[in-house]
Amino acid sequence: MGEPHVVTLRATRDGDLDALFLIEQDPVAVRMAAFTPPDPSDRAMFDAHWRRLLDDPGVDTRTVRADGEIVGSVARWFDEGAPEITYWIDRAHWGRGIATRAMHLFLDALGERPVRARVAADNAGSIAVLEKLGFEHVGTEHGYANAREAEIEERVYRLG
């Protein structure tokens, strides 16, 4: 695995969006994430989505960097009044502990509890990250996953 990476977070800014857009183009990662926009390659839709996130004071978005390189994002928003988090890490950096470290930093900075997360039931990597962070599986739902063009099982996790 090599040397540990220095993982840092910063408030997402407009200059990060080109890198984040490219990261979200990987077809394997898109399929694994499952719950994506209908057309992840639509840059105008991506930009409009991020504009809404960046302009919403109730949303906290951070850019994840490993050794100074942009490798993904983490975010918190509110769904029916409950904080919910998500993350996306460049597939080239999977399996190196970066997602776990980034989420740990983010959760420490937020300090909000409880917080929820959702993940496609077959996304073993993200399930492992959540469980390492102390999230507990609290429910299962079904929803339409654009990336798979099908309804799939989604696991709901909670960190108390």
Side-chain angles (χ1 to χ4, degrees):
M1 196 168 359
E3 293 296 310
H5 297 277
V6 176
V7 176
T8 58
L9 304 178
R10 69 169 181 224
T12 300
R13 48 192 184 209
D14 289 340
D16 298 339
L17 298 183
D18 286 344
L20 295 176
F21 180 73
L22 288 175
I23 288 167
E24 294 185 20
Q25 298 308 297
D26 181 279
V28 173
V30 168
R31 179 162 175 73
M32 188 59 62
F35 297 95
T36 63
D39 180 2
S41 68
D42 183 334
R43 181 61 193 252
M45 185 179 286
F46 173 90
D47 287 341
H49 171 75
W50 273 94
R51 183 81 276 132
R52 285 189 304 276
L53 295 178
L54 295 173
D55 289 347
D56 185 338
V59 175
D60 187 345
T61 62
R62 312 275 177 104
T63 296
V64 178
R65 296 187 304 161
D67 304 323
E69 174 189 354
I70 294 174
V71 298
S73 63
V74 295
R76 187 267 295 126
W77 72 97
F78 291 90
D79 182 31
E80 298 178 3
E84 194 157 318
I85 60 168
T86 189
Y87 73 91
W88 190 299
I89 300 296
D90 184 347
R91 186 166 63 102
H93 297 277
W94 288 2
R96 299 178 183 175
I98 293 169
T100 302
R101 287 199 293 282
M103 288 289 285
H104 185 58
L105 290 170
F106 190 59
L107 289 164
D108 282 355
L110 284 177
E112 295 171 323
R113 302 294 183 273
V115 63
R116 286 189 315 218
R118 298 169 185 272
V119 61
D122 62 354
N123 186 337
S126 284
I127 289 170
V129 167
L130 293 174
E131 290 178 350
K132 280 184 216 169
L133 292 166
F135 280 80
E136 294 182 7
H137 179 224
V138 295
T140 302
E141 298 178 358
H142 289 83
Y144 186 79
N146 287 319
R148 301 187 190 178
E149 298 180 334
E151 187 169 298
I152 67 166
E153 186 175 298
E154 181 178 39
R155 296 181 78 177
V156 181
Y157 283 82
R158 182 178 180 273
L159 179 64

